[in-house]
Amino acid sequence: MRRAVYPGTFDPITNGHLDILRHVVGLFDEIIVGVLHNPAKHPLFTVDERVEFAREATQGYANVSVASFSGLLVDFCRARDASYIVRGVRNPADLQVEMQMAQMNESLYPEVHTLFVPASPALSFVSSSLVKDIASHGGSVRAFVSDVVNDALVRRIGQNGANAEG
Ligand code: PNS
């Protein structure tokens, strides 16, 4: 069984994340989207909301499941018997950070290898942080997230940026 974890904060999941998933979905028997539960990061959405968005966005893939995790990513991989970590790379700055994390993860748990997937050029500028920033200033993010996430952003942040810092 070739099993991978696609980890992230996913606050919220974007079309950029889904683009990465689309590229690897055929490579593995099973992919677990691992949503990091880390309240210290003060995410906009709760872990349950982020898991729900990810489930809704990936429901078309029979071999993709979604679960939350806390603690070390390698411990989650070990518990799920996953040999691969999938990470999207949008630019050289991403690669620099991701390389270090991949090497650290592999030194902590040599049975796991990280697969870097270059973002599609049309989506390489999309990030959850920018999406939230744009939404908080009343901009439209419809092109970058699913309808469900878009509606949730409008509800949480407000169409004209009310409670944007919350
Ligand atoms: O989407 P993000 O926020 O870039 O994802 C980062 C994530 C969740 C992959 C990373 O923060 C992580 O793996 N956190 C779990 C704790 C951990 O294992 N830290 C050591 C990484 S070398």
Side-chain angles (χ1 to χ4, degrees):
M1 170 77 80
R2 204 186 293 260
R3 191 177 288 122
V5 168
Y6 178 30
T9 306
F10 300 111
D11 185 39
I13 195 163
T14 69
N15 293 346
H17 294 122
L18 296 173
D19 172 60
I20 300 300
L21 199 55
R22 184 175 62 80
H23 280 96
V24 297
V25 79
L27 300 179
F28 298 100
D29 299 307
E30 189 182 339
I31 301 180
I32 303 158
V33 176
V35 180
L36 179 66
H37 180 44
N38 182 2
K41 273 193 165 187
H42 301 295
L44 179 63
F45 294 106
T46 67
V47 69
D48 289 343
E49 287 170 324
R50 287 178 280 135
V51 164
E52 196 47 45
F53 299 150
R55 286 212 174 110
E56 192 276 335
T58 60
Q59 60 189 353
Y61 297 125
N63 62 337
V64 174
S65 61
V66 182
S68 62
F69 76 100
S70 51
L72 285 180
L73 173 57
V74 289
D75 288 341
F76 183 60
C77 293
R78 193 185 282 112
R80 297 299 180 120
D81 198 21
S83 312
Y84 293 90
I85 294 168
V86 171
R87 290 291 286 169
V89 174
R90 293 166 297 191
N91 50 50
D94 271 0
L95 186 60
Q96 202 167 358
V97 175
E98 293 298 331
M99 193 77 173
Q100 194 178 9
M101 286 209 302
Q103 289 168 334
M104 178 57 87
N105 282 329
E106 198 164 324
S107 87
L108 291 172
Y109 181 43
E111 281 77 25
V112 80
H113 306 280
T114 299
L115 178 68
F116 295 140
V117 182
S120 294
L123 287 164
S124 62
F125 57 89
V126 177
S127 71
S128 299
S129 309
L130 276 184
V131 160
K132 286 182 284 189
D133 188 41
I134 291 161
S136 75
H137 291 94
S140 171
V141 293
R142 280 189 182 282
F144 314 123
V145 295
S146 68
D147 288 347
V148 168
V149 170
N150 180 71
D151 293 350
L153 277 166
V154 169
R155 274 199 308 276
R156 182 65 44 91
I157 298 183
Q159 208 126 28
N160 45 23
N163 303 320
E165 307 303 323

